[in-house]
């Protein structure tokens, strides 16, 4: 896996959720209000400036609220009515360099595309019990619809370029954390999981299964492009400290408090739906 915390010379970018306060980011001058009881919280680059933007999704109002880092403005966008408990599935589905707010529910994808003025685009892919894992697996610049099926320990990926569906048996449901991203710097997301202090991934270029030992007690995996050079770094968060694997060793940063929850543009998902 690629790891380069110091290559680009840009200041590191970290974001945390603080209970009772909201989302706190080095790039946002004020906290973004977030109700953990009523909604979900996330970060992604919704304005294309290369800096993560903080946001929330309130399930009762079906409303995304996103604070843009570029100018401090707020994006408000809502999805059509749904039943049950949705999962956040934000990604750049239209290839314009801006993340699109999206939810997934029992195989239904509701994507608010930036190229269409945040209007809703609907797709069907997956079934109840699946876990959405959208990412650009084929390297065409657009996120592919993808799910992990816990009952099979299998990934299903539908190419946004060809429509072809490929499958991979990879991971252990109920044990692994799912965190696909481009770790190998080839422009394609790699299937990846974190298990007991070890990062396992399938190199999207070679198809070879690899692993990297990097973990410790109390450490939360938070894969992030820390220096914003386009390569996802291996990162762990513990008690307000961020540990970044550089390939030659560790670099640590202090941001946040002991009880904060770390957030990353790369979603870290449980391998069992609803947990």
């Amino acid at each position: 896996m690629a790891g380069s915390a110091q290559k680009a010379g840009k200041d590191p970018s970290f974001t945390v959720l603080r209970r009772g306060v909201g989302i706190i980011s080095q790039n946002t001058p004020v906290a973004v209000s977030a109700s953990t009881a009523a909604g979900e919280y996330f970060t992604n680059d919704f304005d294309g400036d290369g800096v993560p933007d903080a946001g929330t999704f309130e399930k009762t109002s079906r409303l995304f609220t996103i604070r843009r880092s570029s100018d401090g403005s707020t994006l408000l966008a809502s999805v059509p009515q749904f039943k049950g408990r949705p999962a956040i599935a934000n990604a750049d589905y239209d290839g314009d360099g801006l993340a699109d707010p999206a939810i997934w529910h029992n195989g239904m994808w509701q994507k608010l595309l930036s190229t269409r003025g945040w209007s809703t685009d609907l797709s069907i892919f997956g079934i109840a019990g699946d876990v959405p894992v959208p990412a650009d697996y084929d390297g065409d610049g657009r996120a592919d619809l993808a799910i992990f099926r816990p009952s099979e320990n299998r990934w299903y990926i539908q190419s946004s370029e060809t429509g072809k569906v490929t499958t991979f048996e990879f991971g252990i449901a109920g044990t692994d954390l799912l965190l696909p991203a481009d770790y190998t710097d080839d422009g394609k997301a790699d299937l990846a999981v974190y298990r007991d202090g070890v990062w396992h991934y399938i190199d999207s270029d070679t198809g070879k299964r690899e692993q990297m030992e990097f973990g410790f007690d109390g450490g939360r995996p938070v894969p992030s492009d820390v220096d914003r050079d386009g390569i996802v770094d291996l990162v762990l968060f513990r008690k307000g400290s961020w540990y970044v694997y550089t390939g030659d060793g560790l670099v640590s940063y202090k941001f946040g408090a002991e009880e904060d929850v770390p957030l990353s543009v790369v979603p870290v998902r449980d391998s069992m739906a609803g947990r």
Side-chain angles (χ1 to χ4, degrees):
M1 287 185 174
S4 54
Q6 301 293 327
K7 285 200 304 187
K10 296 182 180 179
D11 293 333
S13 174
F14 300 116
T15 304
V16 297
L17 175 77
R18 183 162 299 168
R19 308 290 179 180
V21 176
I23 299 171
I24 302 174
S25 173
Q26 289 175 307
N27 307 299
T28 303
V30 295
V32 178
S33 175
S35 170
T36 57
E40 302 280 349
Y41 38 89
F42 53 82
T43 62
N44 214 317
D45 185 6
F46 294 92
D47 54 11
D49 65 349
V51 178
D53 308 306
T56 65
F57 177 70
E58 295 293 336
K59 298 174 184 178
T60 53
S61 63
R62 312 189 309 277
L63 183 67
F64 281 95
T65 302
I66 297 165
R67 180 73 58 80
R68 297 183 177 99
S69 60
S70 57
D71 58 9
S73 64
T74 299
L75 168 66
L76 300 175
S78 61
V79 296
Q81 191 168 0
F82 57 84
K83 295 181 180 180
R85 181 179 179 180
I88 301 297
N90 303 332
D92 181 8
Y93 294 98
D94 49 17
D96 65 347
L98 309 182
D100 304 303
I103 64 170
W104 181 94
H105 179 252
N106 290 349
M108 170 72 76
W109 301 71
Q110 298 185 19
K111 300 160 288 180
L112 304 177
L113 302 182
S114 54
T115 52
R116 300 184 188 177
W118 314 108
S119 62
T120 304
D121 180 77
L122 301 178
S123 300
I124 301 292
F125 189 69
I127 59 176
D130 291 345
V131 180
V133 283
D136 183 12
Y137 297 96
D138 57 13
D140 69 347
R142 296 174 293 168
D144 307 301
L145 304 184
I147 56 92
F148 174 78
R149 185 158 295 164
S151 60
E152 304 173 0
N153 288 328
R154 186 176 296 275
W155 302 60
Y156 289 79
I157 302 170
Q158 184 180 62
S159 170
S160 58
E161 184 174 25
T162 66
K164 180 182 177 182
V165 176
T166 55
T167 68
F168 300 87
E169 187 174 344
F170 179 64
I172 302 174
T175 298
D176 294 350
L177 294 174
L178 313 175
L179 29 75
D182 182 11
Y183 297 97
T184 55
D185 194 24
D186 64 352
K188 301 177 183 178
D190 308 295
L191 276 67
V193 301
Y194 179 85
R195 180 191 312 143
D196 298 329
V198 181
W199 304 67
H200 302 262
Y201 69 101
I202 299 179
D203 189 313
S204 57
D205 188 37
T206 65
K208 189 176 180 180
R209 301 191 178 212
E210 307 278 5
Q211 66 181 51
M212 173 70 68
E213 293 188 17
F214 175 51
F216 41 75
D217 290 343
R220 294 187 181 203
V222 198
S224 309
D225 182 7
V226 173
D227 55 357
R228 288 173 278 157
D229 65 351
I231 304 173
V232 175
D233 305 300
L234 307 188
V235 183
L236 294 171
F237 175 87
R238 183 174 63 180
K239 297 182 178 180
S241 293
W242 302 72
Y243 301 88
V244 183
Y245 177 72
T246 68
D248 298 318
L250 291 179
V251 176
S252 64
Y253 302 92
K254 182 68 177 178
F255 180 76
E258 182 171 333
E259 300 302 323
D260 287 348
V261 178
L263 300 178
S264 169
V265 169
V266 178
V268 178
R269 297 180 170 94
D270 197 290
S271 51
M272 292 294 291
R275 293 205 319 190

